[in-house]
Amino acid sequence: MGSFSLFHWLIVLVPLSVGLILAFRKPAAGPNRFGDLPQAMGFGQAISSFFRKYVDFTGRASRSEFWFSTLFVVLVIAFYLIEPTGALGGIWSLAVFLPSIAMATRRLHDINRSGWFQLIALLIPIGTIVVLAWYCRAPAAADSRASVF
């Protein structure tokens, strides 16, 4: 019960190293392979797009579309925290689960990365920070400088 064996270290270090290698690998060079540059959106347009593209994992999402949709989902969840039973909050969470994953996938497409990179947040502790940094990045077509993230 006292020592950390080699097997335990491998369980910790292998996912960590694989995740870091994937995180710091540069996206594909050249034009964005996921489509044209998306347009910036206002709050209402972003919410409409969020529900209109319910499970659309293709194309790109602008930063404004992603962050306004995320703000809307978080505000509604905060509103339902006031409810004592929590049943409506659970229903809301289930209702926005797939569109949130689809929106995050389209946001990663905007920086020329695959939507599967969302899984980095689940594999390693620092992965959440890396994925959040990617969500904040400028679009791949407009970003002319080389960067680690």
Side-chain angles (χ1 to χ4, degrees):
M1 186 161 213
S3 70
F4 218 53
S5 70
L6 179 64
F7 180 71
H8 291 106
W9 279 108
L10 287 175
I11 289 175
V12 171
L13 293 177
V14 168
L16 182 66
S17 60
V18 168
L20 287 174
I21 289 169
L22 289 174
F24 289 113
R25 189 178 70 177
K26 292 186 179 188
N32 193 305
R33 60 189 171 168
F34 296 106
D36 294 332
L37 192 65
Q39 64 179 2
M41 295 186 176
F43 188 75
Q45 292 173 317
I47 307 298
S48 173
S49 174
F50 178 75
F51 287 111
R52 191 176 60 248
K53 297 179 180 179
Y54 197 80
V55 289
D56 183 10
F57 291 89
T58 61
R60 297 166 67 176
S62 64
R63 284 186 288 183
S64 60
E65 181 181 0
F66 176 79
W67 287 113
F68 281 141
S69 299
T70 303
L71 175 66
F72 175 71
V73 169
V74 168
L75 286 177
V76 172
I77 288 173
F79 177 71
Y80 283 118
L81 287 176
I82 298 169
E83 187 211 356
T85 62
L88 291 176
I91 292 170
W92 174 255
S93 296
L94 285 174
V96 297
F97 179 70
L98 281 176
S100 296
I101 292 174
M103 175 66 69
T105 299
R106 291 193 310 270
R107 179 67 201 124
L108 288 174
H109 286 176
D110 195 36
I111 62 166
N112 213 11
R113 296 208 184 258
S114 171
W116 289 103
F117 277 102
Q118 294 178 69
L119 295 176
I120 291 176
L122 300 175
L123 294 177
I124 59 174
I126 199 154
T128 304
I129 297 168
V130 170
V131 172
L132 280 172
W134 285 344
Y135 290 156
C136 296
R137 268 193 76 187
D143 194 11
S144 60
R145 64 186 192 282
S147 174
V148 176
F149 291 101

